[in-house]
Every structure is written in C-alpha cells, then in structure tokens.
Amino acid sequence: MDVIGDLVARDRRSDDLAVRTDSRAGSYSYEKCCTNAWKTGNILRHYGVRGGATVAVDPGDSLTPPPLLALLGAGLLGATTRFDPGESPSAKALVVPAARADAYDPDPGTKTFVYGDVPDDPEFAHFEAEMWSENPTAPPDRVDPADTALAAGDREFTHERLLSASEGIVDEYGLAADDEVAVRAPLADPGTVVAGVLAPVAAGATVLVDRESTGTVAVASGDAAENAPEPAVVDPADVL
C-alpha cells in the first residue's frame, strides 16, 4: 500500500468489521467503510477540496465513524487532514459534531459539515445526509505517496510515512483480522491516527470506537493506558 486511498480500494471490500461502535447498526463492515469513504471523498471534492487543501476535523468527545471517513475521504483526494482545528481553522472544509458547530469561526470559504444531529444553520451541510446521496465510486484524483496526508501542530506527515509507521505497528503487535484496536487516545495525536486507525485497517482488523467495550489492543497514554482493559497497549508518543 502506497497511499491512504489503498486502504479502501475496491478489492478490500468484505463483510468483515472495519469499525465497531456500540451498536451493530452503527458499525461498519469493510464493504460499507470503503463505499462511504469514496462517498466522503466525492462530497469533499464537490465542495472544492483537492490535493494540497486542508480538511479540519473535530473528532468529538466520543469517537464515531464520520471523523474516520473524513480522514479516508481527504486521503483519497490528496488533501491534508487536521484533527486539531483550533477555533478559527484555515481549511477548505470543517467537519464537526452538531453540538459544537457554533464554537468555530472558520475562514471565509470554508464549508462546514455537521455530523450527528441535523444542523440548525442552513449554511452548514449535514454530513450523513450528503454522504448517503453521493456517488458510491472512488474519486478519480491521483495521489502521490510524498503528498502530505496529516498535520498536527507544526508537523506534517506524508502518506508514505504514515503507512510505513502503520506497517510497523502491524508487525510489532501481530495485528490480524480477528484483532480489535480500541482508540483510547485523541486523534489530535498523529500516533493515535497511525496505531488506532491506519494500522488496524491495513491489517484487516477492527477499529473499536466504543470505549465501553474491550478490544485486543489499546491505543492510549497516561492514566488511560494504565487503566486500559486490553492486554496490549500502544503509546501514541512512541509511534512517530
């Protein structure tokens, strides 16, 4: 795999679980994950996101699939995802939970997508509604492994570096299809993105976003790492 889009290539579709939430209805098979990542890429593309653009994402207090789809969709376009948007993000698109939509003052020209509840402001797009109505095919954009895929603070990470690091996690922890990787650290830490999202998807394992359930591996630090119920723990600080 050379770019993030390869994680959701057509031949990766299956009935295996890619993302597990607290309900089967809200969980994603690899079939659903790939298709919805393509749709998300097409939504963002429709609103002007291209290679080199930034997609700012607020992953919320309780992680759900939309922020992960934003990462994958932006990756399909060669855009950069930022999970630490700040109050006034400079981005082509902003993806935020409905409860926090009014907390942001983005630059003019930024399209705000709200996920969860339907937005009150007609200027905001409802992420889920837009996604379901989109074309379920992969965007045609060409992405280079040397393109920036993720930014955090003043650091930038290319597709190549992120996937190389994720392969290291897969090898070190022996991740396989029957593993569930519990995300117990913020996505604002790029190590969490690598170990908690990219690595399990690369391995065909499951990203566990239901923090009340127990996986086989946790991505956590500090007290969360000490209290994690999983038998193995990855510290995001050690990943990149």
Side-chain angles (χ1 to χ4, degrees):
M1 297 182 187
D2 299 316
V3 293
I4 286 176
D6 292 340
L7 297 174
V8 289
R10 184 171 296 275
D11 61 2
R12 304 212 71 224
R13 297 177 301 170
S14 73
D15 291 332
D16 294 338
L17 207 57
V19 182
R20 182 156 78 89
T21 67
D22 61 358
S23 72
R24 183 72 192 189
S27 299
Y28 277 37
S29 67
Y30 273 88
E31 170 88 28
K32 185 176 179 181
C33 183
C34 291
T35 301
N36 286 354
W38 303 342
K39 288 183 174 185
T40 300
N42 287 324
I43 294 168
L44 295 173
R45 197 172 192 275
H46 175 75
Y47 285 98
V49 175
R50 297 291 190 276
T54 296
V55 177
V57 183
D58 179 342
D61 296 322
S62 180
L63 186 58
T64 56
L68 306 184
L69 293 176
L71 169 70
L72 296 170
L76 285 164
L77 305 176
T80 299
T81 300
R82 179 176 285 278
F83 286 109
D84 55 349
E87 293 182 0
S88 301
S90 178
K92 192 65 178 178
L94 173 64
V95 182
V96 299
R100 291 215 282 260
D102 293 331
Y104 291 92
D105 182 24
D107 283 352
T110 298
K111 183 62 180 181
T112 298
F113 294 87
V114 168
Y115 64 88
D117 293 335
V118 176
D120 295 327
D121 190 330
E123 292 298 313
F124 297 160
H126 186 212
F127 181 87
E128 288 91 340
E130 294 265 348
M131 181 181 65
W132 287 120
S133 64
E134 255 301 340
N135 186 11
T137 58
D141 303 66
R142 298 181 65 86
V143 181
D144 190 278
D147 290 343
T148 299
L150 183 68
D154 59 358
R155 296 183 295 169
E156 294 184 343
F157 303 90
T158 65
H159 289 253
E160 184 176 36
R161 185 176 179 192
L162 294 173
L163 291 178
S164 176
S166 70
E167 289 171 5
I169 294 295
V170 171
D171 291 342
E172 181 176 353
Y173 290 86
L175 295 183
D178 58 350
D179 280 301
E180 292 193 346
V181 180
V183 182
R184 303 187 184 279
L187 291 182
D189 188 324
T192 304
V193 176
V194 170
V197 181
L198 302 182
V201 174
T206 300
V207 180
L208 177 60
V209 299
D210 175 17
R211 295 190 179 184
E212 300 303 315
S213 296
T214 300
T216 56
V217 178
V219 180
S221 60
D223 291 343
E226 292 182 6
N227 297 321
E230 287 76 20
V233 179
V234 184
D235 187 338
D238 297 334
V239 174
L240 290 165

